[in-house]
Amino acid sequence: MRKLILISCFALSVLSFAAETKLPENVEKKIRYAVSTTSGADRRETYDWYKDSYLEMVERLDKAGIPQTDKEIIIKRLEAMYGANYPKQLTRVNDEINDYKGLVSRIREEQNANQQKAEAQNKKSKEEIASILSSSSIPKAELNRIEENAKAEYPDDYTLQKAFIKGAIKTYNDLKK
């Protein structure tokens, strides 16, 4: 009976250590080095504090929805600023997450503005193409061929189609003379 109790206690202790979250080896070394100057119970308490701070920092980064490569960059930046002081890194990680999200938001806004500007320019060029084609003195069959060539060359860019059509009309008129 005693053996059964001892074996079950041993199994529980092994499982409790196995269930504990594992730190990356380099982080483990840095924490051990950082707490090496403390002694006794303070050392264990400081070790646990640093470890919990690191794990909480990683968890906050995971919950923020940041891609893995960007998480690694944020962790490296915090490490460069504060070394192995994971409690200090933990206090700054929210600022880093907010900075990252702000940067992503500004980039998206800029991309949307550029896209809207390009769409407006495309729409304007499309209208100008219709005007150029209707005011040209070139035979309709030739104009249709020029327009088809422009669409084939630049399928989605009406600004370049307009330039192509203008150039083709000018070349056609020059050759006709």
Coordinates of all heavy atoms in Angstrom, one line a residue, residues 36-120:
S36 N 21.3 35.0 -10.7 CA 22.4 34.3 -10.0 C 23.0 35.2 -8.9 O 23.7 34.6 -8.0 CB 23.5 34.0 -11.0 OG 24.0 35.2 -11.6
T37 N 22.7 36.5 -8.9 CA 23.3 37.3 -7.8 C 22.4 37.3 -6.5 O 22.9 37.7 -5.5 CB 23.4 38.8 -8.3 OG1 22.1 39.2 -8.7 CG2 24.4 38.9 -9.4
T38 N 21.2 36.7 -6.6 CA 20.4 36.6 -5.4 C 20.6 35.3 -4.8 O 21.2 34.4 -5.4 CB 18.9 36.8 -5.8 OG1 18.5 35.8 -6.8 CG2 18.6 38.2 -6.4
S39 N 20.1 35.1 -3.6 CA 20.4 33.9 -2.9 C 19.1 33.3 -2.2 O 18.2 34.1 -1.9 CB 21.5 34.1 -1.8 OG 21.0 35.0 -0.8
G40 N 19.1 32.0 -2.0 CA 18.1 31.4 -1.3 C 16.7 31.5 -1.9 O 16.5 31.3 -3.1
A41 N 15.8 31.8 -1.0 CA 14.4 31.9 -1.4 C 14.1 33.0 -2.4 O 13.3 33.0 -3.2 CB 13.5 32.0 -0.2
D42 N 14.9 34.1 -2.2 CA 14.8 35.2 -3.2 C 15.1 34.8 -4.6 O 14.5 35.3 -5.5 CB 15.7 36.4 -2.8 CG 15.2 37.1 -1.5 OD1 14.0 36.9 -1.2 OD2 16.1 37.8 -0.9
R43 N 16.1 33.9 -4.7 CA 16.5 33.5 -6.0 C 15.3 32.7 -6.7 O 15.0 33.0 -7.9 CB 17.7 32.5 -6.0 CG 18.1 32.0 -7.3 CD 19.3 31.1 -7.3 NE 20.4 31.9 -7.0 CZ 21.7 31.4 -6.8 NH1 21.9 30.1 -6.8 NH2 22.7 32.3 -6.6
R44 N 14.7 31.8 -6.0 CA 13.6 31.1 -6.6 C 12.4 32.0 -6.9 O 11.7 31.9 -7.9 CB 13.1 30.0 -5.6 CG 12.1 29.0 -6.2 CD 12.7 28.2 -7.2 NE 11.7 27.7 -8.1 CZ 11.9 27.1 -9.3 NH1 13.2 27.0 -9.7 NH2 11.0 26.6 -10.0
E45 N 12.1 32.9 -6.0 CA 11.0 33.9 -6.1 C 11.3 34.8 -7.4 O 10.4 35.0 -8.2 CB 10.9 34.7 -4.9 CG 9.6 35.5 -4.8 CD 9.5 36.2 -3.5 OE1 9.5 35.5 -2.4 OE2 9.4 37.4 -3.5
T46 N 12.5 35.3 -7.5 CA 12.8 36.1 -8.6 C 12.8 35.3 -9.9 O 12.3 35.8 -11.0 CB 14.2 36.7 -8.4 OG1 14.3 37.4 -7.2 CG2 14.6 37.7 -9.5
Y47 N 13.3 34.1 -9.9 CA 13.2 33.2 -11.1 C 11.8 33.0 -11.5 O 11.5 33.2 -12.7 CB 13.9 31.9 -10.8 CG 13.8 30.9 -11.9 CD1 14.7 30.9 -12.9 CD2 12.7 30.0 -11.9 CE1 14.6 30.0 -14.0 CE2 12.6 29.1 -13.0 CZ 13.5 29.1 -14.0 OH 13.4 28.2 -15.0
D48 N 10.9 32.7 -10.6 CA 9.5 32.5 -10.9 C 8.9 33.8 -11.5 O 8.1 33.7 -12.4 CB 8.7 32.0 -9.7 CG 9.0 30.6 -9.3 OD1 9.6 29.8 -10.2 OD2 8.8 30.2 -8.2
W49 N 9.2 34.9 -10.9 CA 8.7 36.2 -11.3 C 9.1 36.5 -12.8 O 8.3 36.9 -13.6 CB 9.2 37.3 -10.4 CG 8.7 38.7 -10.7 CD1 7.5 39.1 -11.2 CD2 9.5 39.9 -10.5 NE1 7.5 40.4 -11.3 CE2 8.7 40.9 -10.9 CE3 10.8 40.1 -10.1 CZ2 9.1 42.3 -10.9 CZ3 11.2 41.5 -10.0 CH2 10.4 42.5 -10.4
Y50 N 10.4 36.3 -13.1 CA 10.9 36.5 -14.4 C 10.3 35.5 -15.4 O 9.9 35.9 -16.5 CB 12.5 36.3 -14.5 CG 13.2 37.6 -14.1 CD1 12.9 38.3 -13.0 CD2 14.3 38.0 -14.8 CE1 13.6 39.5 -12.6 CE2 15.0 39.2 -14.5 CZ 14.6 39.9 -13.4 OH 15.3 41.0 -13.0
K51 N 10.2 34.3 -15.0 CA 9.6 33.3 -15.9 C 8.1 33.6 -16.2 O 7.7 33.6 -17.3 CB 9.7 31.9 -15.2 CG 9.0 30.8 -16.0 CD 9.1 29.5 -15.2 CE 8.2 28.5 -15.8 NZ 8.0 27.3 -14.9
D52 N 7.4 33.9 -15.1 CA 6.0 34.2 -15.3 C 5.8 35.5 -16.2 O 4.9 35.6 -17.0 CB 5.3 34.4 -14.0 CG 5.2 33.1 -13.2 OD1 5.3 32.0 -13.8 OD2 5.0 33.2 -11.9
S53 N 6.7 36.4 -16.0 CA 6.7 37.7 -16.8 C 6.9 37.3 -18.3 O 6.2 37.9 -19.2 CB 7.7 38.7 -16.3 OG 7.4 39.1 -15.0
Y54 N 7.9 36.5 -18.5 CA 8.2 36.1 -19.9 C 7.0 35.4 -20.6 O 6.5 35.7 -21.7 CB 9.4 35.2 -20.0 CG 9.7 34.7 -21.4 CD1 10.3 35.6 -22.3 CD2 9.2 33.5 -21.9 CE1 10.5 35.1 -23.7 CE2 9.4 33.1 -23.1 CZ 10.1 33.9 -24.0 OH 10.3 33.5 -25.3
L55 N 6.4 34.4 -19.8 CA 5.3 33.7 -20.4 C 4.1 34.5 -20.6 O 3.3 34.4 -21.6 CB 4.9 32.5 -19.4 CG 6.0 31.4 -19.3 CD1 5.7 30.4 -18.2 CD2 6.3 30.7 -20.7
E56 N 3.8 35.5 -19.7 CA 2.7 36.4 -19.8 C 2.9 37.3 -21.0 O 2.0 37.6 -21.8 CB 2.6 37.3 -18.6 CG 1.5 38.4 -18.7 CD 0.1 37.8 -18.7 OE1 -0.2 36.7 -18.3 OE2 -0.8 38.6 -19.2
M57 N 4.2 37.8 -21.3 CA 4.5 38.6 -22.4 C 4.2 37.8 -23.7 O 3.6 38.4 -24.6 CB 6.0 39.0 -22.4 CG 6.4 39.9 -23.5 SD 8.1 40.3 -23.5 CE 8.9 38.7 -23.7
V58 N 4.6 36.6 -23.8 CA 4.4 35.8 -25.0 C 2.9 35.5 -25.2 O 2.4 35.6 -26.3 CB 5.2 34.5 -24.9 CG1 4.8 33.5 -26.0 CG2 6.7 34.7 -24.9
E59 N 2.2 35.3 -24.1 CA 0.8 35.1 -24.2 C 0.0 36.4 -24.7 O -0.9 36.3 -25.5 CB 0.2 34.7 -22.8 CG -1.3 34.4 -22.8 CD -1.8 34.0 -21.5 OE1 -1.0 33.5 -20.7 OE2 -3.0 34.2 -21.2
R60 N 0.4 37.5 -24.2 CA -0.2 38.8 -24.7 C 0.1 39.0 -26.2 O -0.8 39.4 -26.9 CB 0.4 40.0 -24.0 CG -0.2 40.1 -22.6 CD 0.4 41.3 -21.9 NE 0.0 41.3 -20.5 CZ 0.4 42.3 -19.6 NH1 1.1 43.3 -20.1 NH2 0.0 42.2 -18.4
L61 N 1.3 38.6 -26.6 CA 1.6 38.7 -28.1 C 0.8 37.7 -28.9 O 0.3 38.1 -30.0 CB 3.1 38.5 -28.3 CG 4.0 39.6 -27.9 CD1 5.5 39.2 -27.9 CD2 3.9 40.8 -28.8
D62 N 0.6 36.5 -28.3 CA -0.2 35.5 -29.0 C -1.7 36.0 -29.2 O -2.3 35.9 -30.2 CB -0.2 34.2 -28.3 CG 1.2 33.5 -28.5 OD1 1.9 33.8 -29.4 OD2 1.5 32.6 -27.6
K63 N -2.2 36.6 -28.1 CA -3.6 37.0 -28.1 C -3.8 38.2 -29.0 O -4.9 38.5 -29.4 CB -4.0 37.4 -26.7 CG -4.3 36.1 -25.8 CD -4.8 36.5 -24.4 CE -5.0 35.3 -23.6 NZ -5.4 35.7 -22.2
A64 N -2.7 39.0 -29.2 CA -2.9 40.2 -30.0 C -3.1 39.9 -31.5 O -3.5 40.8 -32.3 CB -1.6 41.1 -29.9
G65 N -2.8 38.7 -31.9 CA -3.1 38.3 -33.3 C -2.0 38.8 -34.2 O -2.2 39.1 -35.4
I66 N -0.8 39.0 -33.7 CA 0.4 39.4 -34.5 C 1.0 38.2 -35.2 O 1.2 37.2 -34.5 CB 1.3 40.2 -33.6 CG1 0.7 41.4 -33.0 CG2 2.6 40.6 -34.3 CD1 1.5 42.1 -32.0
P67 N 1.4 38.3 -36.5 CA 2.1 37.2 -37.1 C 3.4 36.8 -36.4 O 4.0 37.7 -35.7 CB 2.4 37.8 -38.5 CG 1.5 38.9 -38.7 CD 1.2 39.5 -37.3
Q68 N 3.8 35.6 -36.5 CA 4.9 35.0 -35.8 C 6.2 35.8 -36.0 O 6.9 36.1 -35.1 CB 5.1 33.6 -36.1 CG 6.2 32.9 -35.3 CD 5.9 32.8 -33.8 OE1 4.8 32.7 -33.4 NE2 7.0 32.9 -33.0
T69 N 6.5 36.2 -37.2 CA 7.7 36.9 -37.5 C 7.7 38.2 -36.8 O 8.8 38.7 -36.3 CB 7.9 37.1 -39.0 OG1 6.8 37.7 -39.6 CG2 8.2 35.8 -39.7
D70 N 6.6 38.9 -36.8 CA 6.5 40.2 -36.1 C 6.6 40.1 -34.6 O 7.2 40.9 -33.9 CB 5.3 41.0 -36.5 CG 5.3 41.3 -38.0 OD1 6.4 41.5 -38.6 OD2 4.2 41.5 -38.6
K71 N 6.1 39.0 -34.1 CA 6.2 38.7 -32.6 C 7.7 38.6 -32.3 O 8.1 39.1 -31.3 CB 5.5 37.4 -32.3 CG 4.0 37.5 -32.0 CD 3.5 36.3 -31.4 CE 2.6 35.6 -32.4 NZ 2.0 34.4 -32.0
E72 N 8.4 37.8 -33.1 CA 9.8 37.6 -32.8 C 10.6 38.9 -32.9 O 11.5 39.1 -32.1 CB 10.4 36.6 -33.8 CG 9.9 35.2 -33.6 CD 10.2 34.2 -34.7 OE1 11.0 34.6 -35.7 OE2 9.8 33.1 -34.7
I73 N 10.2 39.8 -33.8 CA 10.9 41.1 -33.9 C 10.6 41.9 -32.7 O 11.5 42.6 -32.1 CB 10.4 41.8 -35.2 CG1 11.0 41.1 -36.4 CG2 10.8 43.3 -35.2 CD1 10.4 41.6 -37.7
I74 N 9.3 41.9 -32.2 CA 9.0 42.7 -31.0 C 9.7 42.1 -29.8 O 10.3 42.9 -29.0 CB 7.5 42.6 -30.7 CG1 6.7 43.5 -31.8 CG2 7.1 43.1 -29.3 CD1 5.2 43.3 -31.8
I75 N 9.8 40.8 -29.7 CA 10.6 40.2 -28.6 C 12.0 40.6 -28.6 O 12.6 40.9 -27.6 CB 10.4 38.6 -28.6 CG1 9.0 38.3 -28.1 CG2 11.4 38.0 -27.6 CD1 8.6 36.8 -28.3
K76 N 12.6 40.5 -29.8 CA 14.0 40.9 -29.9 C 14.2 42.4 -29.6 O 15.2 42.8 -29.0 CB 14.5 40.7 -31.4 CG 14.8 39.2 -31.6 CD 15.2 39.0 -33.1 CE 15.4 37.5 -33.4 NZ 15.8 37.3 -34.8
R77 N 13.3 43.3 -30.0 CA 13.4 44.7 -29.7 C 13.3 44.9 -28.2 O 14.1 45.6 -27.6 CB 12.3 45.5 -30.4 CG 12.4 47.0 -30.2 CD 11.4 47.8 -30.9 NE 11.1 47.4 -32.2 CZ 10.0 47.1 -32.7 NH1 8.9 47.0 -32.0 NH2 9.8 46.8 -34.0
L78 N 12.4 44.2 -27.5 CA 12.3 44.4 -26.1 C 13.5 43.8 -25.4 O 14.0 44.4 -24.4 CB 11.1 43.6 -25.6 CG 9.7 44.3 -25.9 CD1 8.6 43.4 -25.6 CD2 9.6 45.6 -25.1
E79 N 14.1 42.7 -25.9 CA 15.3 42.1 -25.3 C 16.5 43.1 -25.5 O 17.3 43.2 -24.6 CB 15.6 40.8 -26.0 CG 16.6 40.0 -25.3 CD 16.8 38.6 -25.9 OE1 15.8 37.9 -25.9 OE2 17.9 38.4 -26.5
A80 N 16.5 43.8 -26.6 CA 17.6 44.7 -26.9 C 17.5 45.9 -25.9 O 18.6 46.4 -25.5 CB 17.6 45.2 -28.3
M81 N 16.3 46.3 -25.6 CA 16.1 47.5 -24.7 C 16.3 47.1 -23.3 O 16.9 47.9 -22.5 CB 14.7 48.0 -24.9 CG 14.5 48.8 -26.2 SD 13.0 49.7 -26.3 CE 11.7 48.4 -26.4
Y82 N 15.8 45.9 -22.8 CA 15.8 45.6 -21.4 C 16.6 44.4 -21.0 O 16.5 43.9 -19.9 CB 14.4 45.5 -20.9 CG 13.6 46.7 -21.2 CD1 12.6 46.7 -22.2 CD2 13.9 47.9 -20.6 CE1 11.9 47.9 -22.5 CE2 13.2 49.1 -20.8 CZ 12.2 49.1 -21.8 OH 11.5 50.2 -22.1
G83 N 17.3 43.7 -22.0 CA 18.0 42.5 -21.6 C 17.1 41.4 -21.1 O 16.1 41.1 -21.7
A84 N 17.6 40.8 -20.0 CA 16.8 39.7 -19.4 C 15.8 40.2 -18.4 O 15.3 39.4 -17.6 CB 17.7 38.7 -18.8
N85 N 15.5 41.5 -18.3 CA 14.6 42.0 -17.4 C 13.2 41.8 -17.9 O 12.5 42.7 -18.4 CB 14.9 43.5 -17.1 CG 14.1 44.0 -15.9 OD1 13.1 43.4 -15.5 ND2 14.4 45.2 -15.4
Y86 N 12.7 40.6 -17.8 CA 11.4 40.2 -18.4 C 10.2 40.9 -17.7 O 9.2 41.2 -18.4 CB 11.2 38.7 -18.4 CG 12.2 38.1 -19.3 CD1 13.3 37.3 -18.8 CD2 12.1 38.2 -20.7 CE1 14.2 36.8 -19.7 CE2 13.0 37.7 -21.5 CZ 14.0 37.0 -21.0 OH 15.0 36.4 -21.9
P87 N 10.3 41.2 -16.4 CA 9.2 42.0 -15.8 C 9.1 43.4 -16.5 O 8.0 43.9 -16.8 CB 9.5 42.2 -14.3 CG 10.3 40.9 -14.1 CD 11.1 40.7 -15.3
K88 N 10.2 44.0 -16.8 CA 10.2 45.3 -17.5 C 9.7 45.2 -18.9 O 8.9 46.0 -19.4 CB 11.6 45.9 -17.5 CG 11.7 47.3 -18.1 CD 10.9 48.3 -17.3 CE 11.1 49.7 -17.9 NZ 10.3 50.7 -17.3
Q89 N 10.1 44.1 -19.6 CA 9.6 43.8 -20.9 C 8.1 43.6 -20.9 O 7.4 44.1 -21.8 CB 10.2 42.6 -21.5 CG 11.7 42.7 -21.8 CD 12.3 41.5 -22.5 OE1 11.6 40.7 -23.1 NE2 13.6 41.3 -22.3
L90 N 7.6 43.0 -19.9 CA 6.1 42.7 -19.8 C 5.4 44.1 -19.6 O 4.3 44.2 -20.2 CB 5.8 41.8 -18.6 CG 4.4 41.6 -18.3 CD1 3.7 40.8 -19.4 CD2 4.2 40.8 -17.0
T91 N 6.0 45.0 -18.9 CA 5.3 46.3 -18.8 C 5.3 47.1 -20.1 O 4.4 47.9 -20.3 CB 5.9 47.2 -17.7 OG1 7.3 47.5 -18.1 CG2 5.9 46.5 -16.3
R92 N 6.2 46.8 -21.0 CA 6.3 47.5 -22.2 C 5.7 46.8 -23.4 O 5.5 47.4 -24.5 CB 7.8 47.8 -22.6 CG 8.5 48.7 -21.6 CD 8.2 50.1 -21.7 NE 8.5 50.5 -23.1 CZ 7.8 51.5 -23.8 NH1 6.9 52.2 -23.1 NH2 8.1 51.8 -25.0
V93 N 5.3 45.6 -23.3 CA 4.8 44.8 -24.4 C 3.5 45.4 -24.9 O 3.3 45.4 -26.1 CB 4.7 43.3 -24.1 CG1 3.5 43.0 -23.2 CG2 4.6 42.5 -25.4
N94 N 2.6 45.9 -24.1 CA 1.4 46.4 -24.5 C 1.6 47.7 -25.4 O 0.9 47.9 -26.4 CB 0.5 46.8 -23.4 CG -0.1 45.6 -22.7 OD1 -0.2 44.5 -23.3 ND2 -0.5 45.7 -21.4
D95 N 2.6 48.5 -25.0 CA 3.0 49.6 -25.9 C 3.5 49.2 -27.2 O 3.1 49.8 -28.3 CB 4.0 50.5 -25.2 CG 3.5 51.1 -23.9 OD1 2.3 51.3 -23.8 OD2 4.3 51.5 -23.0
E96 N 4.3 48.1 -27.2 CA 4.8 47.6 -28.5 C 3.7 47.0 -29.4 O 3.6 47.3 -30.6 CB 5.8 46.5 -28.3 CG 7.1 47.0 -27.7 CD 7.9 47.8 -28.6 OE1 7.9 47.5 -29.8 OE2 8.6 48.8 -28.2
I97 N 2.7 46.4 -28.8 CA 1.6 45.8 -29.5 C 0.7 47.0 -30.1 O 0.4 46.9 -31.3 CB 0.7 44.9 -28.6 CG1 1.4 43.6 -28.2 CG2 -0.6 44.6 -29.2 CD1 0.8 42.8 -27.2
N98 N 0.5 48.0 -29.3 CA -0.3 49.1 -29.8 C 0.5 49.9 -30.9 O -0.1 50.3 -31.9 CB -0.6 50.1 -28.6 CG -1.6 49.5 -27.6 OD1 -2.4 48.6 -28.0 ND2 -1.5 50.0 -26.4
D99 N 1.8 50.0 -30.8 CA 2.6 50.6 -31.8 C 2.5 49.8 -33.1 O 2.3 50.4 -34.2 CB 4.1 50.8 -31.4 CG 4.3 51.8 -30.3 OD1 3.3 52.6 -30.1 OD2 5.4 51.8 -29.7
Y100 N 2.6 48.5 -33.0 CA 2.5 47.6 -34.2 C 1.1 47.8 -34.8 O 1.0 47.9 -36.0 CB 2.7 46.2 -33.7 CG 2.5 45.2 -34.9 CD1 3.5 45.0 -35.8 CD2 1.3 44.5 -35.0 CE1 3.3 44.1 -36.8 CE2 1.1 43.7 -36.1 CZ 2.1 43.4 -37.0 OH 1.9 42.6 -38.0
K101 N 0.1 47.7 -34.0 CA -1.3 47.8 -34.6 C -1.5 49.2 -35.2 O -2.2 49.3 -36.2 CB -2.3 47.5 -33.5 CG -2.4 46.1 -33.2 CD -3.5 45.8 -32.2 CE -3.6 44.3 -31.9 NZ -4.6 43.9 -30.9
G102 N -1.0 50.2 -34.6 CA -1.1 51.6 -35.2 C -0.4 51.7 -36.5 O -0.9 52.3 -37.5
L103 N 0.8 51.1 -36.6 CA 1.6 51.1 -37.9 C 0.8 50.3 -38.9 O 0.7 50.8 -40.1 CB 3.0 50.4 -37.6 CG 3.8 50.3 -38.9 CD1 4.2 51.6 -39.4 CD2 5.1 49.4 -38.5
V104 N 0.3 49.2 -38.6 CA -0.5 48.4 -39.6 C -1.7 49.2 -40.0 O -2.0 49.2 -41.2 CB -0.9 47.0 -38.9 CG1 -1.9 46.3 -39.8 CG2 0.3 46.1 -38.8
S105 N -2.4 49.8 -39.1 CA -3.6 50.6 -39.4 C -3.2 51.8 -40.4 O -3.9 52.0 -41.4 CB -4.2 51.2 -38.2 OG -5.2 52.0 -38.5
R106 N -2.1 52.5 -40.1 CA -1.6 53.6 -41.0 C -1.3 53.1 -42.4 O -1.6 53.7 -43.4 CB -0.5 54.3 -40.4 CG -0.8 55.2 -39.2 CD 0.3 56.1 -38.8 NE 1.5 55.4 -38.5 CZ 1.9 54.9 -37.3 NH1 1.0 54.9 -36.3 NH2 3.0 54.3 -37.1
I107 N -0.7 51.9 -42.4 CA -0.3 51.3 -43.7 C -1.6 51.0 -44.5 O -1.7 51.3 -45.7 CB 0.6 50.1 -43.6 CG1 2.0 50.6 -43.1 CG2 0.7 49.3 -44.9 CD1 2.9 49.4 -42.7
R108 N -2.5 50.4 -43.9 CA -3.8 50.0 -44.5 C -4.5 51.3 -45.0 O -5.0 51.3 -46.2 CB -4.7 49.3 -43.6 CG -4.3 47.8 -43.5 CD -5.3 47.0 -42.7 NE -4.9 45.7 -42.5 CZ -4.9 45.0 -41.4 NH1 -5.4 45.6 -40.3 NH2 -4.5 43.8 -41.3
E109 N -4.5 52.3 -44.2 CA -5.2 53.6 -44.6 C -4.5 54.2 -45.8 O -5.2 54.6 -46.8 CB -5.2 54.6 -43.5 CG -6.1 54.3 -42.4 CD -6.0 55.2 -41.1 OE1 -5.2 56.1 -41.2 OE2 -6.7 54.9 -40.2
E110 N -3.2 54.1 -45.8 CA -2.4 54.7 -47.0 C -2.7 53.8 -48.2 O -2.8 54.4 -49.3 CB -0.9 54.7 -46.6 CG -0.1 55.3 -47.7 CD 1.4 55.4 -47.3 OE1 1.7 55.7 -46.1 OE2 2.2 55.2 -48.1
Q111 N -2.7 52.5 -48.1 CA -3.0 51.7 -49.2 C -4.4 51.9 -49.8 O -4.6 52.0 -51.0 CB -2.8 50.2 -48.8 CG -1.4 49.8 -48.7 CD -1.3 48.3 -48.2 OE1 -2.2 47.8 -47.6 NE2 -0.1 47.7 -48.4
N112 N -5.3 52.1 -48.9 CA -6.7 52.4 -49.3 C -6.8 53.7 -50.0 O -7.5 53.8 -51.1 CB -7.7 52.4 -48.2 CG -8.0 51.0 -47.6 OD1 -7.7 50.0 -48.4 ND2 -8.4 50.9 -46.4
A113 N -6.1 54.7 -49.5 CA -6.1 56.0 -50.2 C -5.4 55.9 -51.5 O -6.0 56.5 -52.5 CB -5.3 57.0 -49.3
N114 N -4.3 55.2 -51.6 CA -3.7 55.1 -52.9 C -4.6 54.3 -53.9 O -4.6 54.6 -55.1 CB -2.3 54.3 -52.8 CG -1.3 55.2 -52.1 OD1 -1.4 56.4 -52.1 ND2 -0.2 54.6 -51.6
Q115 N -5.2 53.3 -53.4 CA -6.1 52.5 -54.3 C -7.3 53.4 -54.8 O -7.7 53.3 -56.0 CB -6.7 51.3 -53.5 CG -7.5 50.4 -54.4 CD -8.0 49.2 -53.6 OE1 -7.7 49.0 -52.5 NE2 -8.7 48.3 -54.3
Q116 N -7.9 54.2 -53.9 CA -9.0 55.0 -54.3 C -8.5 56.1 -55.3 O -9.2 56.4 -56.3 CB -9.6 55.7 -53.1 CG -10.4 54.8 -52.2 CD -10.8 55.4 -50.9 OE1 -10.5 56.6 -50.6 NE2 -11.7 54.7 -50.2
K117 N -7.3 56.6 -55.1 CA -6.7 57.6 -56.0 C -6.5 56.9 -57.4 O -6.8 57.5 -58.4 CB -5.4 58.1 -55.5 CG -4.8 59.2 -56.2 CD -3.5 59.7 -55.5 CE -2.8 60.8 -56.3 NZ -1.6 61.2 -55.6
A118 N -6.0 55.7 -57.4 CA -5.8 55.0 -58.7 C -7.1 54.7 -59.4 O -7.2 54.8 -60.6 CB -5.0 53.7 -58.4
E119 N -8.1 54.3 -58.6 CA -9.4 54.0 -59.2 C -10.0 55.3 -59.8 O -10.6 55.2 -60.9 CB -10.3 53.4 -58.2 CG -10.0 52.0 -57.8 CD -10.8 51.4 -56.6 OE1 -11.7 52.2 -56.1 OE2 -10.6 50.3 -56.3
A120 N -9.9 56.4 -59.1 CA -10.4 57.7 -59.6 C -9.7 58.1 -60.9 O -10.3 58.5 -61.9 CB -10.2 58.8 -58.6

